[in-house]
Amino acid sequence: MVGIIVDQMRYDYLYRYWEDMGENGIKRLVREGHVVHDGHYQYVPTFTAPGHASVYTGTGPALHGIIGNDWYSRQEKKSVYCAGDPDANTVGSSSAEGKMSPHRLRATTIADQLELATNRRSKTIGIAIKDRGGILPVGQLADGAYWFDKTEGRFITSDFYREALPGWIDQFNSRELPRQYLEQTWTTLLPMERYDESLPDDRSFERPYYGIEKAVFPYDLKKLVESRKEGDAPFGLLPATPFGNTYTTEFAKAAIVGEQMGQDAITDLLAVSYSSTDYVGHQFGPHSVEIQDTYLRLDREIEDLLNFLDEKVGLKNTLIFLTADHAGADVPGYIPNAAGYFKSGSFQEGLRKHLKDKYKTDPIAYYINQQIYFTRPWVADPQRLASDVRAFAANFAGVHSIVSLRDLAECNVMPGICDKIIKGYMPDRSGDLYVLLYPGWLPDYTEKGGTTHGSPYSYDTHVPIIFYGWGVAPGNNYSKVWIEDIAPTVCQLLKISLPSGCSGSPVVEVFEK
Ligand SMILES: [Zn+2]
């Protein structure tokens, strides 16, 4: 079984770039697979870590506990990272980038259940450029999770999984592919006139790479690496180019061979996450030539991976799903009136001042993920504090409502939105109030260019969900499917127990009659 998550992939990309895709990559999955056309995230915030955890646990942050990439820990009185683990050590390099583990994940994953079902005889491996993209999908019992070390330019892991890298990874790392990728110039895969699904290359609202003025092709990567910002990791540019995905594909192929996956009667799981689409999306936005080129190249990578699987395992013996960890917003700068930039810095500053004037002390311990964490013990009655925040926010551009996370029964925005907020809330990790913005409003750091995600709105929740291969009935599915439905569907196909917190339902149309 192979799970593919494409970081920040919007549903519309499947069709927007259709005419420029190859015949045997994404098109093969769409034509021969079971395509869910209205697949959505069921919670907020729609970020990478909750997304990866939700796909593989079959539930949302309210039960698996990954409420953001980072959140505020009241116990530690600081922000903590979803996969960060001070007790873990890097394996495979001398940097600190391997101090990671899934210790904050509170539910089991498909991989955990597969390990339990087979008495640990399955091979379960998670891989991604991003550590959280490799770790969270496979969870606690996996044989391994591997991610990219930007300092040394190699795949690494942590001693949570093992004491040394397996030989096939040492061998893979010795090929020094990142060095080769970063000596290239990134030009468009097809002639520029073929990119008429995107805005012209030279547009505002794209954020150029550090050290250059304009976000236009061609990109001399070698020069960009040489002139990188002081203190930036030597291989830090790779994830933000399509070649991060190329590298991931090469590593996935090496893992299939190195771990002898799919070679016996026991089901194995390879969880691949393509991270570079997200970095490029943030940098240039969904209407850029850069993101189109990244997807056209990814389409070729997926074709390469499918062909490889066909040769080594046989596609008819392989259950594949493809989805995304969240989608991404259209760039507000291109959409007058129905979008805007929310000045998060001045919101926080103004709010703190407003409350401090009133209470003679700052009652806000932290602000993150559009959530306000009040200090404990409470400076004042929680309801009074909330109404003071509402009074301040009423005049602030972009704010729709201030929702009390502790009294969600009283949530009085649209039921669908309240539902998403409830499904993203975990009592001991989430904040006290949630700042809901209007549709199309993004935090103002994106004003420099590019886009982001995180909201409960369709541009962030609507993602492709495709099932393909072993046991899958091909077809088009126009019903609403939630992301938490993927895991129970896959577990039913494999005839194994559901992950511990699973709250989705199987997509029964996927099953062969
Ligand atoms: Zn992401």
Side-chain angles (χ1 to χ4, degrees), residues 6-8 46-49 52 69 130 132 278 282 325-327 453:
V6 181
D7 207 311
Q8 207 187 109
T46 39
F47 290 134
T48 295
H52 282 78
N69 292 332
K130 292 184 185 178
R132 56 189 181 275
D278 182 68
H282 278 291
D325 58 339
H326 51 75
H453 46 86

Side-chain angles (χ1 to χ4, degrees), residues 16-17 195-200 286-293:
R16 201 199 300 172
Y17 305 142
Y195 292 74
D196 53 356
E197 295 85 359
S198 298
L199 291 166
H287 298 282
S288 60
V289 173
E290 287 84 352
I291 198 73
Q292 181 170 359
D293 195 65

Side-chain angles (χ1 to χ4, degrees), residues 213-254:
E213 295 290 308
K214 282 186 163 215
V216 291
F217 283 95
Y219 293 101
D220 183 339
L221 301 182
K222 198 171 180 202
K223 227 163 105 187
L224 284 168
V225 171
E226 282 164 4
S227 61
R228 71 181 179 276
K229 189 154 76 183
E230 215 187 300
D232 274 5
F235 295 90
L237 182 65
L238 183 67
T241 73
F243 308 108
N245 289 336
T246 314
Y247 188 45
T248 306
T249 307
E250 288 305 314
F251 190 64
K253 286 155 61 182

